[in-house]
Amino acid sequence: MNATLQSWLTENLQALKDQHLYKVPRILETPAGGRVRMNGREVVNLSSNNYLGLANHPKVVEAARKSIEEWGVGAGAVRWIGGTMKVHDELEERIAKFKNVEAVLVFTSGFTANSGCIPAVLTSDDVVISDELNHASIIDGVRLSPAEYRKSEGWVYGHKDMNHLEDILKRAGNFKKRMIITDGVFSMDGDIAPLPEIVALAEKYDAFVMVDDAHASGVLGRNGAGTTSHFNLYGRVDIQLGTLSKALGVVGGYIAGSRLLKEWLINRGRPYLFSTALPPMVAAALIAALDIMENDPEPMNRLWDNAKWWKESLASLGFDTMGSETPITPVYCGEEEKAVRMEQMLWEEGVYALSICYPTVPRGRARIRTMPSAAHSREDLEFALEAFKKVGRSLGVIPSTAEV
Ligand SMILES: *Cc1c(COP(=O)(O)O)cnc(C)c1O
């Protein structure tokens, strides 16, 4: 072991601990669900993205099992070298139809879809104009590209600030291409991007739009087809990213757009070119998950029923859910210490809900992030609400006189 590296690691791990940024994942001892056992404790889990409960839906599991029996467990190679199977093509065709676009290219995760697509469509003659609250995988994708984007140079706009976006577009006329990129649903706040306004500005200033719908897939739009569907902007959003790992319950990501875009990414998307294809059982499970999303409205209805009940109940107790419009429901705490303490106390009450602090969100805007889902029964959420009431009162997050 190199001593310099070892001491560097020790020092920097200690620094993370000192700043309360050190992470220790808890261990799930049961399948992902609304109520789980974690680190030996039964808890209501409010920190999963399994929106529709598809991660262990019997039909999805059965599709994976049948695929394993027929095809084994691995694809064996990157897609273009010999890893593309019929089931990969079928999955892409199914998603393209679902999203109502010409073509879809699947990657092994949403993260790699961002880091593959963004640098592939940009050169040093271009500029990226990005919402300040965009997801880390967008930021990494942008960093991998040679295009101009730095915040210090003014190419990042205030969260959903359309006047700011327009000011930037007015200054960006000299670049060859202008890309506006935004989360469809913001992952830490649960609010929705003003996509109609973004698209209108893009059309006015000759920019193209990429929307990351990781948290909108399965949640917004027709059968969960995302923000483009939600706002009826078909044909006006150039690049849509989706994940197959959240509402769809398995793993993977995709880029949806034109046939030319797909053709380009097959040739220039580096994670597509250099990372092994998804296992065929994953693709088969995802086709089964899509079948459910397209034909059974029940999981999405239950998701929204639960989300509305959860938000209204929290608000009636006096909690601030920070303008969330989707199932992602932040519960505002403010100071980092208060959020961390609240997470610990909720855990002791049998509720797993993670605190989210700086640098994931701005300093002084710490929160507990909750994710009600179709996998929760109303009893699960009632149980969690009691815990929030008790802990919120004791920490002074809500007034102690609040009534349900
Ligand atoms: C989770 C997430 C991703 C990454 O998707 P994975 O499939 O989990 O890699 C990308 N963008 C946003 C906004 C996300 O929330």
Side-chain angles (χ1 to χ4, degrees):
M1 291 285 193
N2 173 266
T4 311
L5 173 63
Q6 291 297 94
S7 69
W8 182 88
L9 290 170
T10 307
E11 238 168 71
N12 283 282
L13 281 167
Q14 190 55 49
L16 289 180
K17 288 176 187 166
D18 294 345
Q19 297 166 68
H20 308 290
L21 296 175
Y22 182 79
K23 292 180 176 56
V24 185
R26 280 173 237 216
I27 309 295
L28 263 179
E29 292 153 2
T30 53
R35 202 176 267 272
V36 297
R37 199 173 57 245
M38 227 178 192
N39 286 15
R41 184 185 277 267
E42 288 269 337
V43 290
V44 170
N45 181 8
L46 288 173
S47 292
S48 174
N49 299 319
N50 180 23
Y51 284 110
L52 300 174
L54 296 182
N56 37 46
H57 190 290
K59 285 184 181 162
V60 179
V61 173
E62 184 51 27
R65 195 198 326 269
K66 272 174 71 182
S67 171
I68 290 178
E69 279 162 14
E70 198 176 337
W71 293 89
V73 292
V78 299
R79 299 263 318 258
W80 69 281
I81 289 180
T84 297
M85 293 169 166
K86 232 171 71 188
V87 72
H88 293 113
D89 270 353
E90 193 186 330
L91 174 63
E92 288 175 343
E93 274 161 30
R94 283 293 303 271
I95 302 171
K97 208 169 273 170
F98 176 61
K99 298 286 289 183
N100 196 11
V101 294
E102 277 181 15
V104 158
L105 188 68
V106 166
F107 291 78
T108 47
S109 72
F111 199 107
T112 54
N114 261 329
S115 59
C117 177
I118 299 169
V121 298
L122 295 167
T123 76
S124 55
D125 297 329
D126 303 330
V127 65
V128 187
I129 307 170
S130 174
D131 187 289
E132 66 178 340
L133 293 190
N134 279 344
H135 189 258
S137 60
I138 293 182
I139 296 170
D140 282 18
V142 169
R143 282 182 181 151
L144 286 169
S145 91
E148 184 61 65
Y149 84 100
R150 280 186 304 273
K151 186 167 188 174
S152 58
E153 308 282 326
W155 304 116
V156 174
Y157 60 94
H159 180 48
K160 296 195 299 187
D161 183 342
M162 293 298 100
N163 293 326
H164 194 184
L165 173 59
E166 183 158 21
D167 286 344
I168 295 175
L169 283 163
K170 281 179 184 159
R171 287 193 277 113
N174 288 337
F175 292 95
K176 191 149 188 194
K177 299 202 296 302
R178 286 152 289 282
M179 176 193 215
I180 305 173
I181 189 161
T182 182
D183 278 15
V185 170
F186 289 87
S187 53
M188 294 301 146
D189 294 68
D191 54 343
I192 304 172
L195 208 53
E197 288 84 353
I198 292 173
V199 165
L201 285 172
E203 287 167 354
K204 183 170 171 190
Y205 292 94
D206 182 26
F208 66 98
V209 175
M210 175 165 172
V211 61
D212 177 341
D213 258 351
H215 282 287
S217 315
V219 176
L220 290 177
R222 193 175 61 88
N223 299 333
T227 48
T228 299
S229 164
H230 176 72
F231 288 116
N232 197 13
L233 292 168
Y234 289 113
R236 296 171 69 192
V237 175
D238 301 272
I239 305 178
Q240 298 178 58
L241 178 141
T243 179
L244 303 166
S245 331
K246 289 172 180 157
L248 275 110
V250 195
V251 72
Y254 62 86
I255 297 292
S258 67
R259 262 185 219 97
L260 285 175
L261 176 68
K262 174 172 180 171
E263 215 177 308
W264 182 249
L265 293 178
I266 287 174
N267 287 280
R268 279 291 177 267
R270 291 172 67 82
Y272 178 89
L273 290 166
F274 298 109
S275 185
T276 299
L278 285 173
M281 62 177 168
V282 166
L286 285 164
I287 290 169
L290 275 168
D291 277 338
I292 295 165
M293 277 171 63
E294 289 181 323
N295 298 305
D296 181 3
E298 205 273 333
M300 202 166 138
N301 290 342
R302 195 145 35 97
L303 165 69
W304 277 99
D305 278 352
N306 277 343
K308 282 182 185 139
W309 183 88
W310 178 244
K311 281 175 200 300
E312 283 165 16
S313 303
L314 284 171
S316 75
L317 286 172
F319 285 106
D320 173 4
T321 56
M322 306 181 76
S324 155
E325 303 166 84
T326 65
I328 300 172
T329 308
V331 177
Y332 182 78
C333 298
E335 300 151 36
E336 283 67 25
E337 270 135 54
K338 197 178 265 189
V340 170
R341 186 78 195 110
M342 185 151 173
E343 175 192 318
Q344 286 163 352
M345 290 172 74
L346 287 168
W347 173 258
E348 280 152 26
E349 296 294 324
V351 174
Y352 177 61
L354 264 192
S355 58
I356 308 282
C357 299
Y358 176 84
T360 306
V361 295
R363 221 183 269 286
R365 306 269 299 156
R367 65 203 67 177
I368 301 287
R369 178 168 175 268
T370 65
M371 311 282 290
S373 76
H376 293 105
S377 67
R378 189 53 55 86
E379 292 70 39
D380 294 337
L381 295 178
E382 281 166 356
F383 175 86
L385 190 70
E386 272 308 305
F388 269 80
K389 181 163 85 172
K390 181 171 168 194
V391 171
R393 282 179 180 176
S394 113
L395 287 174
V397 175
I398 49 170
S400 58
T401 50
E403 288 295 324
V404 180

